[in-house]
Amino acid sequence: MEAVQRVVVLPGEKIADINPYLHGHFAEHLGELVYNGVWVGPDSPIPNTDGVRNDVVEALKPLGIPVLRWPGGCFADDYHWRDGIGPREGRPMRVNTHWGMAPEPNSFGTHEFMAFCRALGAEPYFAGNLGSGTPNELRDWVEYCNFGGDSALAAERRANGQDEPFRVKFWGVGNENWGCGGHMTPEQYADEFSKFRTFVFNYPDSPVEAIACGPNGRDWGWTRRFLETSKGWRLGRVQGFAAHYYCGTAGTATEYDETQWKELLAKARAVEGIITGHRSILDEYDPERKIKLLLDEWGAWHPVEEGKPRGGLYQQNTIRDACVAALSLDVFHNQADKLYMANIAQMINVLQALLLVQDDKCLKTPTYHVFDLYRPHQGASAVRLFSAAEAISEGEGAAAHCRDCYLGRQSFALRAVEGSASVKDGVLCVTLVNSHPSEAVEAELDLRGRRLAEADVVTLAAGDIRAHNTFENPDAVTLSAPATVAAKDGNALRVPIPAGGIVRVMGRLS
Ligand code: AHR
């Protein structure tokens, strides 16, 4: 018989509305994400609309992608936007120095990216070049995109086919400037940010949000020293502060044992401490929370798949990565009062991708299915959820595996069921992960005075902890059909969750 685990949901205890931006995405000029992944060009035999792959747009549209960050990543601080406008045949060939010295033809630039965002219904988020660019270059990009009046830059945009301003709201001012974006100290970056920010103007009807480069993982010092250097009037010009957190790997993308399964999920859960830790430092300097905390790169980072170029960061994606995505999104919902945006790295063919494409084929990864499953949380009110912790000691050996885990030894305490809950228009949506690699559980939903008489349950699970989708078998891991589950004899609703499985339970509250 399956173990029963109680999950307490308090539908009346609202945390905050779940900003749809918490389900955001990231697309860098890296490997085969932009070229071949999104862009094949109008003359390609692969079905496309003005150069953008139709299969990719068709696959991504149902996810309701709220925001898409581009063009990097490290690439952003070596990108010069003028290379990517005007007739494509006249654009310069550059070299992508960060990512394998790949040729960069600049065929996918500002207008092509905006067309992709429009096709997806996504808000664009541009990462500007602070590392190797100038304030003048960034100001001109903002004016080119956002000015509706009479100026040479606005006229150039119109001549390139876009009459109305693009009205790009989110502008990153550099990326990882503690690393690939210039190896700066936080003090140096704070000064540079302030200088560049001065020239990121609000044009009429196009107010902008300037996003400063935040820390790498738990680098509390970066956050504190940036804020300390910027405090006073300069802080008023920081609208967002973007941390990055990669939970890394354990084993490889597809080869791991149960201990490594638990190790990676423990590292994924640690994102909660990154969010609460940086927000609490921000709160000291910004008690009214005017500065938004973003996590504009997150995900699993496995060794590059055998046979693929090292600079392309191509990795497979298994049911374990699906659990990484689900646990992370659940944390974001539970911290919806502290986190404004989160962008998984990355959308196609790179790192924890949602889609893998090859020639004219496109497959949905297990991570894709999590975003699909979790979509009803977007825009709903996050409410409190507690699950009884079931600590399983893994002993010294296992703890040693996880030396760099945020939670240290405790990171191996396995909570069999965890998740998040939200309410919208009287409908409760609960997503739950059974992170135990080999034991199924039954979750009993205790709604403390409220009830779900019945609910629709959709499950993402696989019989094998290494299960993944391939071009030969693209639906090995996919969502189940919805099943109706009813509460028995007036008792609380019970939902079975397979080992290493994820479920979504949705029903009207009574
Ligand atoms: O997502 C890949 C790289 O990871 C990005 O370019 C960089 O910002 C980070 O280090």
Side-chain angles (χ1 to χ4, degrees):
M1 202 175 110
E2 282 163 15
V4 177
Q5 189 161 343
R6 193 142 56 97
V7 175
V8 178
V9 179
L10 304 173
E13 280 210 22
K14 178 173 169 176
I15 301 167
D17 288 337
I18 296 177
N19 196 325
Y21 294 147
L22 295 179
H23 291 209
H25 295 265
F26 171 38
E28 179 167 12
H29 288 234
L30 196 177
E32 297 211 337
L33 197 168
V34 168
Y35 299 110
N36 295 339
V38 176
W39 179 258
V40 286
D43 301 329
S44 169
I46 295 171
N48 68 84
T49 302
D50 299 328
V52 170
R53 292 179 74 119
N54 293 345
D55 53 358
V56 159
V57 170
E58 205 181 302
L60 292 172
K61 263 182 103 155
L63 301 184
I65 299 226
V67 62
L68 181 58
R69 178 171 180 253
W70 171 85
C74 295
F75 180 80
D77 279 296
D78 198 24
Y79 180 64
H80 301 283
W81 67 273
R82 281 202 154 278
D83 291 348
I85 58 163
R88 278 191 287 276
E89 55 282 7
R91 298 188 193 173
M93 176 64 85
R94 305 276 183 210
V95 52
N96 190 334
T97 48
H98 284 289
W99 303 115
M101 297 290 163
E104 169 52 66
N106 281 299
S107 336
F108 191 83
T110 301
H111 291 254
E112 290 80 10
F113 174 69
M114 289 303 301
F116 183 46
C117 285
R118 266 198 298 261
L120 298 178
E123 184 87 38
Y125 169 6
F126 282 23
N129 179 347
L130 175 141
S132 72
T134 62
N136 184 45
E137 184 182 12
L138 184 56
R139 80 156 295 293
D140 281 359
W141 199 12
V142 179
E143 182 168 318
Y144 180 87
C145 290
N146 286 1
F147 187 42
D150 186 14
S151 82
L153 285 159
E156 198 176 356
R157 182 194 67 238
R158 291 189 186 106
N160 287 331
Q162 178 65 31
D163 194 27
E164 279 295 299
F166 286 127
R167 296 199 177 87
V168 178
K169 179 165 146 198
F170 297 115
W171 290 87
V173 184
N175 168 77
E176 295 195 352
N177 302 92
W178 36 261
C180 62
H183 293 103
M184 300 179 194
T185 63
E187 290 78 14
Q188 219 183 337
Y189 173 70
D191 289 343
E192 285 294 296
F193 173 86
S194 181
K195 184 169 77 186
F196 274 67
R197 176 65 182 97
T198 308
F199 304 100
V200 177
F201 296 109
N202 283 324
Y203 291 93
D205 304 324
S206 299
V208 296
E209 308 249 320
I211 304 194
C213 162
N216 183 21
R218 62 193 78 94
D219 183 355
W220 317 120
W222 176 274
T223 299
R224 187 170 291 288
R225 287 165 59 189
F226 171 80
L227 294 169
E228 191 59 33
T229 311
S230 309
K231 74 181 177 197
W233 62 272
R234 292 212 304 195
L235 261 196
R237 296 190 311 187
V238 184
Q239 278 80 45
F241 187 66
H244 288 178
Y245 177 63
Y246 287 97
C247 62
T249 189
T252 71
T254 52
E255 292 298 319
Y256 44 84
D257 57 23
E258 289 198 0
T259 302
Q260 289 164 322
W261 161 287
K262 293 173 194 168
E263 179 183 338
L264 185 63
L265 299 193
K267 291 182 193 172
R269 270 184 208 108
V271 74
E272 186 147 35
I274 308 287
I275 296 164
T276 54
H278 290 294
R279 186 66 256 178
S280 68
I281 300 171
L282 277 159
D283 286 352
E284 286 177 37
Y285 293 83
D286 171 38
E288 290 174 44
R289 295 199 173 164
K290 289 186 176 153
I291 301 175
K292 299 165 175 110
L293 178 63
L294 291 79
L295 184 69
D296 66 11
E297 289 184 29
W298 67 271
W301 190 318
H302 302 299
V304 175
E305 190 167 293
E306 282 285 312
K308 297 282 182 187
R310 293 205 62 73
L313 304 190
Y314 182 95
Q315 64 190 39
Q316 248 298 353
N317 192 295
T318 67
I319 186 72
R320 181 177 66 156
D321 295 296
C323 289
V324 166
L327 291 173
S328 303
L329 291 175
D330 285 327
V331 166
F332 304 161
H333 303 156
N334 292 327
Q335 300 299 337
D337 54 336
K338 304 182 190 71
L339 191 66
Y340 178 76
M341 185 192 290
N343 309 68
I344 189 168
Q346 298 195 10
M347 190 178 239
I348 304 162
N349 283 345
V350 169
L351 298 177
Q352 193 172 345
L354 278 83
L355 300 178
L356 298 177
V357 308
Q358 185 182 293
D359 306 323
D360 61 350
K361 297 193 207 71
C362 169
L363 71 77
K364 296 169 180 165
T365 66
T367 294
Y368 172 98
H369 293 301
V370 172
F371 276 83
D372 193 10
L373 196 65
Y374 277 46
R375 185 176 175 186
H377 282 302
Q378 287 189 24
S381 300
V383 297
R384 301 259 170 233
L385 176 149
F386 304 92
S387 57
E390 193 178 296
I392 297 170
S393 167
E394 295 295 324
E396 287 305 323
H401 259 295
C402 194
R403 266 192 298 270
D404 61 350
C405 282
Y406 175 64
L407 296 173
R409 207 168 178 287
Q410 277 306 304
S411 60
F412 271 78
L414 189 69
R415 281 161 293 170
V417 174
E418 48 210 309
S420 65
S422 66
V423 180
K424 192 178 193 175
D425 302 330
V427 173
L428 177 70
C429 174
V430 181
T431 44
L432 297 170
V433 183
N434 170 12
S435 53
H436 200 290
S438 53
E439 286 173 22
V441 293
E442 218 176 23
E444 183 177 86
L445 291 184
D446 175 350
L447 306 185
R448 294 293 157 104
R450 303 294 298 274
R451 229 177 144 251
L452 281 187
E454 62 171 40
D456 278 343
V457 177
V458 180
T459 305
L460 183 67
D464 171 6
I465 62 168
R466 296 172 206 91
H468 55 278
N469 296 334
T470 61
F471 292 105
E472 293 69 43
N473 188 6
D475 295 317
V477 185
T478 194
L479 296 179
S480 71
T484 304
V485 175
K488 288 197 189 102
D489 308 326
N491 291 324
L493 198 77
R494 282 193 178 182
V495 181
I497 319 180
I502 303 158
V503 297
R504 182 187 71 204
V505 183
M506 278 183 84
R508 184 156 291 282
L509 283 163
S510 54

